[in-house]
Amino acid sequence: MEKVIAKKKFGQNFLKDKTVLNKIIEAMPKNDNIVIEIGPGLGDLTSELVKYKGVIAYEVDADLLGILQEKFSKEISSQKFKLIHTDVLEFWEKNITLYGQGKYDLIANLPYYIATNIILKAFDDINCENIIVMVQKEVGDKFIAEVGDSDFCALSVLTKTISSYSKTVVVVPPSSFEPAPKVDSSVIYIKKNLDISLDNEYKKFLKVAFSAPRKKLSKNLSALLSKEEIQTVYQVLDIKNDIRPHELSPSLYRQIYNKVIIDGRNKRS
Ligand code: SAM
């Protein structure tokens, strides 16, 4: 096989560390879900995944298709593996789910330049049940942070809202990849509760709540609410006046939103 030159524009850092590949496989939930992989690259993770599950992979780079088709010709013939050539975010723009025939687990070493967007899309994808993805460690920490951690942010609140089980599976050094990225990576696992969906208005509310993460939460909320509304809701929910955005629990964020934004709107209409 000709040597493939990794393309920066597609975030190509190929995972070469067998130990990390094994950790991803060990973390795979035991269920009958199909696996969706975003960015199979040279197929190193795919080779492991197809040993256990049916896999559908979305790859944007046309230059990799031939390599993947050759490597997985047997699995393609036996319909254990399907390769779709597309930009996955464009696909999601046009389709509500990456898999229309049942539940799936997203397992992938993600292209870092769009990793956050991909995870947020997977949160909204009604058929995606489990997310096991390699991301830049800094991004992984944000999704997995607990209330009170300095990393706790809107992404952490969304994760805790949609999932009652999330964790970091393994932290991965640059040397595990070819070419090596400049930063540490981590594999995170988020098990979604499929009965819960995140509405866009709530996401916008959280964005405002964390707009200046080190300021008082009340200061950020004043972009949306009057001083009186903030005072009243803080009193009703027993929230300290000087609380900072990273110190408030996901359940209290939801309660502020429900009490002030939803109830307020209902009163006005
Ligand atoms: N899975 C391989 C591995 O573990 O070595 C490659 C991972 S590499 C970090 C990211 C992969 O995502 C590359 O194959 C890249 O071409 C692909 N990719 C980048 N942008 C994409 C997009 N918008 N849609 C689908 N695949 C994309």
Side-chain angles (χ1 to χ4, degrees):
M1 188 170 82
E2 252 178 80
K3 187 162 165 42
V4 175
I5 308 214
K7 296 189 182 81
K8 248 192 176 151
K9 68 169 177 176
F10 290 142
Q12 291 178 351
N13 298 97
F14 302 115
L15 180 59
K16 293 297 168 197
D17 188 330
K18 267 264 171 209
T19 325
V20 178
L21 284 172
N22 289 340
K23 287 237 153 76
I24 296 174
I25 298 300
E26 277 165 25
M28 244 171 42
K30 299 199 175 26
N31 59 25
D32 296 330
N33 293 357
I34 194 157
V35 166
I36 300 278
E37 186 185 8
I38 294 173
L42 299 173
D44 290 25
L45 175 58
T46 323
S47 302
E48 296 303 315
L49 295 172
V50 291
K51 289 182 190 163
Y52 303 93
K53 295 280 184 101
V55 177
I56 299 177
Y58 289 79
E59 176 56 65
V60 74
D61 185 356
D63 291 344
L64 298 176
L65 301 181
I67 297 170
L68 290 164
Q69 275 153 356
E70 196 180 313
K71 187 163 181 173
F72 297 105
S73 60
K74 236 177 52 213
E75 288 82 1
I76 290 172
S77 306
S78 64
Q79 297 188 340
K80 268 216 98 178
F81 179 58
K82 185 173 166 192
L83 183 59
I84 300 174
H85 177 214
T86 186
D87 176 326
V88 74
L89 289 178
E90 279 178 19
F91 188 93
W92 251 322
E93 287 301 318
K94 296 184 201 126
N95 302 274
I96 53 163
T97 177
L98 295 187
Y99 181 61
Q101 285 149 265
K103 289 190 283 185
Y104 75 86
D105 298 331
L106 172 63
I107 305 184
N109 171 17
L110 292 178
Y112 293 176
Y113 72 110
I114 46 171
T116 300
N117 279 349
I118 287 176
I119 297 171
L120 291 175
K121 284 282 184 193
F123 280 0
D124 289 340
D125 189 317
I126 46 168
N127 288 332
C128 178
E129 187 171 33
N130 294 286
I131 301 170
I132 303 179
V133 286
M134 175 93 71
V135 293
Q136 192 175 326
K137 181 174 176 295
E138 199 186 319
V139 171
D141 288 350
K142 287 189 172 144
F143 277 100
I144 302 301
E146 298 292 336
V147 62
D149 291 351
S150 59
D151 288 326
F152 193 76
C153 62
L155 296 176
S156 337
V157 178
L158 292 177
T159 304
K160 294 274 181 272
T161 307
I162 202 148
S163 159
S164 48
Y165 183 71
S166 59
K167 64 169 182 177
T168 299
V169 175
V170 61
V171 175
V172 185
S175 57
S176 296
F177 301 87
E178 179 60 52
K182 290 202 172 70
V183 291
D184 277 341
S185 305
S186 66
V187 177
I188 58 169
Y189 181 176
I190 300 168
K191 180 175 178 52
K192 278 172 60 189
N193 180 343
L194 290 180
D195 298 330
I196 296 174
S197 61
L198 302 165
D199 52 294
N200 284 336
E201 215 180 329
Y202 186 53
K203 288 182 198 164
K204 280 188 206 149
F205 165 76
L206 289 176
K207 216 171 176 177
V208 173
F210 282 92
S211 53
R214 299 289 155 241
K215 294 249 164 76
K216 284 185 195 163
L217 175 63
S218 54
K219 171 96 181 50
N220 294 343
L221 290 178
S222 65
L224 282 178
L225 309 172
S226 68
K227 225 174 162 179
E228 292 70 39
E229 283 175 314
I230 296 173
Q231 257 174 5
T232 312
V233 79
Y234 269 39
Q235 243 168 29
V236 173
L237 298 175
D238 199 17
I239 297 171
K240 282 193 311 197
N241 280 331
D242 60 351
I243 199 158
R244 311 271 155 179
H246 71 285
E247 295 172 327
L248 192 75
S249 71
S251 122
L252 283 170
Y253 272 111
R254 190 76 215 185
Q255 289 182 63
I256 296 184
Y257 175 76
N258 286 347
K259 283 206 181 307
V260 189
I261 309 282
I262 304 277
D263 290 0
R265 190 194 314 133
N266 289 345
K267 270 186 207 138
R268 281 192 295 276
S269 64

